[in-house]
Amino acid sequence: MISVAVIGAGGYAGGELLRVLLSHPEVGEVTAASASLAGKPVTVAHPNLRKRTDLAFVPYEKVGRCDVLFLSLPNGSHRYDEFADRARVVVDLSSDHPHPERLGDFVYGVPELHRPKLVSATRLTGAGCNATAAILALLPLFRADVVDRGRPIVVEAKVGSSEGGREASEDSHHPERAGVVRSFRPVGHRHTAEIEQELALDGAAPRIDLSVTAVELVRGVLATAHVYTKAALDEKALWRIYRECYASEPFVRIVKERTGIYRYPEPKLLAGTNFADVGFAVDPRGERIVALCAIDNLMKGAAGNGVQAMNVALGFAETAGLEFVGLHP
């Protein structure tokens, strides 16, 4: 049984880490660290954990040596150095670290992309939630080398309010947020670089034009990618491409239905789960494929994916602690 600490455990992703780790069969000790909530019960920030734990938050300086440490801090915190020597394995879910020279020290922690590299790795990064959804939508097409790399790929991501984190702001104020369909980053989103980096697949990076729109959700990302192929592909060929890529993946589900209201990926079905639902549509007018992926931004887009990567790195069952399949309706 391993010991795990969560730095930034008071946030939304930190709370999901606690929820998953407290039920993980290989985790025996969990430390929840928060600068602003130190000394208070964990359930003050995460009331869903009532009667599940009596943990209290501890200040960062009280976090001792552990087996695995998750950094779940706001963007731009830049605190890896402060905690790097406190654990054998560090999973950094934070972002915006101004140290590109360290890229070679970390494995981009998406098992669907880098499972062999994650085995026995000790420094793992998280992945942006929008990047994760976009990459998983498009990965089969790039691995099959059917994409026309001479044309840009347009990705539109619709996202829920929890993507903005726990800190209140003007745009998260309920009268300003409720009922909106707000284009808050039509160009220049920081996840663009991740998508281009990972879909290069050791070749030339594709051009990704990413736009992000806030919609009336709390959890969830739906990435819709418009991609042009070298030649027209029919549905049979696309099914084969997606099955070859994802048939053995424990958390990627190909949406197969061609009738009904759930014939394409739907974020609502994924709340609280580590699954990614992918699907596609073929434009009958030519070489355009619309590839889609839905995830829970706090799980497959953050905490759940981090635990999945930890499982791979430590040789645990990849699905350990992540078996929840969601709710319907």
Side-chain angles (χ1 to χ4, degrees), residues 226-244:
H226 303 264
V227 56
Y228 289 90
T229 55
K230 297 174 182 177
L233 297 170
D234 59 19
E235 286 212 4
K236 184 177 180 180
L238 283 170
W239 280 120
R240 183 171 64 252
I241 287 170
Y242 274 77
R243 280 196 301 266
E244 286 176 355

Side-chain angles (χ1 to χ4, degrees), residues 274-298:
N274 194 53
F275 287 101
D277 283 1
V278 299
F280 56 81
V282 181
D283 188 338
R285 299 175 299 174
E287 296 81 31
R288 184 175 72 111
I289 306 299
V290 180
L292 304 103
C293 178
I295 61 171
D296 179 338
N297 57 292
L298 295 176

Side-chain angles (χ1 to χ4, degrees), residues 20-302:
V20 171
L21 293 169
L22 287 168
S23 299
H24 196 294
E26 305 287 351
V27 175
E29 179 185 348
V30 177
T31 299
S34 170
S36 61
L37 297 170
K40 296 180 180 179
V42 161
T43 52
V44 168
H46 309 300
N48 57 313
L49 298 180
R50 291 168 181 157
K51 277 206 168 182
R52 185 63 191 84
T53 182
D54 57 1
L55 281 175
F57 291 110
V58 301
Y60 294 158
E61 60 269 20
K62 295 289 187 180
V63 176
R65 181 77 183 175
C66 54
D67 296 305
V68 179
L69 185 141
F70 285 89
L71 287 170
S72 184
L73 295 166
N75 299 329
S77 296
H78 308 159
R79 300 186 70 168
Y80 166 75
D81 288 338
E82 183 179 341
F83 299 100
D85 62 351
R86 300 196 203 183
R88 177 166 58 93
V89 175
V90 176
V91 184
D92 190 353
L93 304 182
S94 309
S95 66
D96 294 345
H97 296 298
H99 294 289
E101 72 278 3
R102 289 181 178 164
L103 284 173
D105 300 333
F106 285 77
V107 179
Y108 190 73
V110 178
E112 292 82 6
L113 289 164
H114 298 301
R115 189 172 284 106
K117 292 181 180 179
L118 285 169
V119 175
S120 300
T122 61
R123 294 295 181 267
L124 292 60
T125 73
C129 50
N130 303 314
T132 298
I135 290 167
L136 293 178
L138 292 165
L139 181 62
L141 301 173
F142 276 87
R143 282 187 173 167
D145 195 25
V146 297
V147 176
D148 180 354
R149 288 175 174 260
R151 303 176 75 171
I153 296 166
V154 175
V155 181
E156 211 279 332
K158 298 176 179 66
V159 304
S161 58
S162 61
E163 183 170 305
R166 191 181 188 102
E167 284 295 315
S169 62
E170 182 181 7
D171 63 1
S172 68
H173 184 47
H174 184 266
E176 303 293 346
R177 184 64 171 79
V180 305
V181 179
R182 176 178 295 143
S183 184
F184 74 90
R185 192 72 75 233
V187 297
H189 196 285
R190 58 188 170 80
H191 290 174
T192 304
E194 290 181 47
I195 305 169
E196 293 180 339
Q197 169 186 290
E198 294 304 311
L199 291 178
L201 300 182
D202 298 323
R207 173 173 164 173
I208 302 294
D209 293 333
L210 173 65
S211 297
V212 181
T213 302
V215 297
E216 184 83 349
L217 284 173
V218 174
R219 292 173 179 253
V221 176
L222 176 63
T224 304
H226 303 264
V227 56
Y228 289 90
T229 55
K230 297 174 182 177
L233 297 170
D234 59 19
E235 286 212 4
K236 184 177 180 180
L238 283 170
W239 280 120
R240 183 171 64 252
I241 287 170
Y242 274 77
R243 280 196 301 266
E244 286 176 355
C245 188
Y246 288 142
S248 62
E249 288 296 340
F251 290 111
V252 181
R253 308 187 298 195
I254 304 173
V255 178
K256 301 176 181 178
E257 292 79 3
R258 280 294 168 251
T259 60
I261 61 174
Y262 293 114
R263 63 188 184 275
Y264 298 112
E266 167 56 64
K268 177 183 176 182
L269 300 178
L270 300 168
T273 85
N274 194 53
F275 287 101
D277 283 1
V278 299
F280 56 81
V282 181
D283 188 338
R285 299 175 299 174
E287 296 81 31
R288 184 175 72 111
I289 306 299
V290 180
L292 304 103
C293 178
I295 61 171
D296 179 338
N297 57 292
L298 295 176
M299 282 295 291
K300 186 58 179 168

